[in-house]
Amino acid sequence: MLLVWHPLIYSREGFPRDDEGKPFLPSDSVKEALVNAVLYYFIKKDKEIESKVRAFLLRKGFSLDEAVDALKSMVFEKYPVLDGLNICERIYLPEDRIYRTPAEVFDLERWIDVDDFVVEVFRGRVELSIESPSMDKLKAACHSYCEALARMEMSMLKDHPLVENFYNPFLNELKRWDVPLRVGMWTEEEFRAKFLFFWRIKDVREALKRELKTDIRPRRVIYLPREGCTAGWCEFTTNNSSEEV
């Protein structure tokens, strides 16, 4: 099961529909969440990979696509944990758990809304078929990444009310989840936290700002004011609990 605890957004245009009008989440959204987690986890775990990625990012004259391709190559060649991963192509969503709600692009560092819109979201549980020979490693990676991502967002907010009202209780919940995932459009930043490991490392952060004119941190997240949370926090589990989402 995929348990969507905090509303999931696919795009500003809403969820795609099949020929019969049934809404679904493409499997690529879940795959991207797993990729981001694996990249963070193995850079953190392996000092040799950390050094290689760091050396590449301190070079001059590369594009975002080149940086992402190099990062994936360095990690996945040594740790092919996504080999054999099989996810159903379309994850169909029950129409009665899809609704429209106000959303804000919230700048965590400046504490201001830089944009707002109304968007289609999904919240609830849905069957999700995932097969992987490396599920234990993926679980460890997802916990490490999601907790680091939540703490990074919280650290930028400092004493903002969202820390007490959302992030502190959320981090306690997150530790109890089976396989946490950050899925869908939870930020509009290009990096989507692929280089999250380096956000505390000043020379790498400044090099990326200089080369790509963007912050390594996903500063601008999607906040849902009616729900009082940031978007896209999900849990994959094999436990068919009757707990309400």
Side-chain angles (χ1 to χ4, degrees):
M1 301 294 290
L2 181 68
L3 309 180
V4 180
W5 294 104
H6 301 287
L8 189 158
I9 303 168
Y10 178 71
S11 72
R12 289 197 182 216
E13 291 71 40
F15 292 98
R17 262 80 174 170
D18 67 11
D19 292 342
E20 296 178 356
K22 296 178 180 178
F24 65 90
L25 178 71
S27 62
D28 284 350
S29 293
V30 176
K31 288 178 183 175
E32 183 185 28
L34 291 170
V35 166
N36 289 344
V38 168
L39 294 177
Y40 171 83
Y41 180 70
F42 285 106
I43 295 173
K44 177 183 176 182
K45 187 179 178 69
D46 191 315
K47 292 297 182 184
E48 180 184 7
I49 289 180
E50 177 191 339
S51 296
K52 287 182 178 179
V53 175
R54 180 178 181 144
F56 180 91
L57 297 178
L58 290 176
R59 291 170 45 194
K60 292 185 178 180
F62 59 86
S63 68
L64 173 61
D65 288 342
E66 288 171 334
V68 172
D69 287 346
L71 175 61
K72 289 180 177 179
S73 176
M74 292 174 196
V75 172
F76 293 134
E77 282 181 9
K78 189 169 183 179
Y79 298 101
V81 295
L82 294 184
D83 286 2
L85 176 68
N86 185 27
I87 305 176
C88 52
E89 185 177 348
R90 293 180 175 183
I91 304 156
Y92 280 94
L93 308 173
E95 188 81 59
D96 62 352
R97 300 309 300 265
I98 292 176
Y99 61 97
R100 294 181 66 78
T101 191
E104 300 170 352
V105 181
F106 186 71
D107 189 310
L108 295 166
E109 196 168 57
R110 296 164 62 200
W111 296 9
I112 61 171
D113 306 328
V114 296
D115 193 11
D116 59 83
F117 52 98
V118 176
V119 69
E120 191 174 62
V121 302
F122 170 79
R123 183 173 182 270
R125 62 175 60 227
V126 63
E127 288 188 14
L128 172 59
S129 173
I130 297 181
E131 296 176 3
S132 170
S134 305
M135 188 56 73
D136 287 346
K137 290 185 175 67
L138 294 181
K139 179 176 181 177
C142 289
H143 267 284
S144 182
Y145 168 75
C146 285
E147 288 179 30
L149 185 57
R151 290 187 185 281
M152 184 277 298
E153 293 176 14
M154 188 171 72
S155 73
M156 284 195 280
L157 288 167
K158 298 177 183 176
D159 59 351
H160 188 281
L162 259 180
V163 171
E164 187 66 27
N165 296 337
F166 174 64
Y167 281 99
N168 277 334
F170 170 64
L171 274 164
N172 289 329
E173 294 172 18
L174 187 63
K175 292 173 183 176
R176 297 192 295 268
W177 289 3
D178 196 355
V179 183
L181 296 166
R182 192 78 181 277
V183 180
M185 193 186 87
W186 55 270
T187 179
E188 292 187 319
E189 305 279 5
E190 282 187 282
F191 276 129
R192 293 267 177 126
K194 284 182 172 59
F195 297 95
L196 179 65
F197 175 81
F198 293 100
W199 80 272
R200 291 181 182 273
I201 302 176
K202 186 178 180 182
D203 58 345
V204 176
R205 194 169 69 241
E206 290 181 349
L208 283 168
K209 278 186 178 181
R210 182 177 63 250
E211 291 299 316
L212 303 177
K213 306 297 186 290
T214 188
D215 197 324
I216 202 169
R217 302 168 298 175
R219 279 177 46 184
R220 296 182 175 185
V221 299
I222 309 300
Y223 174 68
L224 305 169
R226 287 184 183 170
E227 291 80 357
C229 65
T230 51
W233 298 104
C234 308
E235 175 189 7
F236 171 69
T237 181
T238 57
N239 178 13
N240 286 322
S241 167
S242 60
E243 186 178 358
E244 185 64 27
V245 176

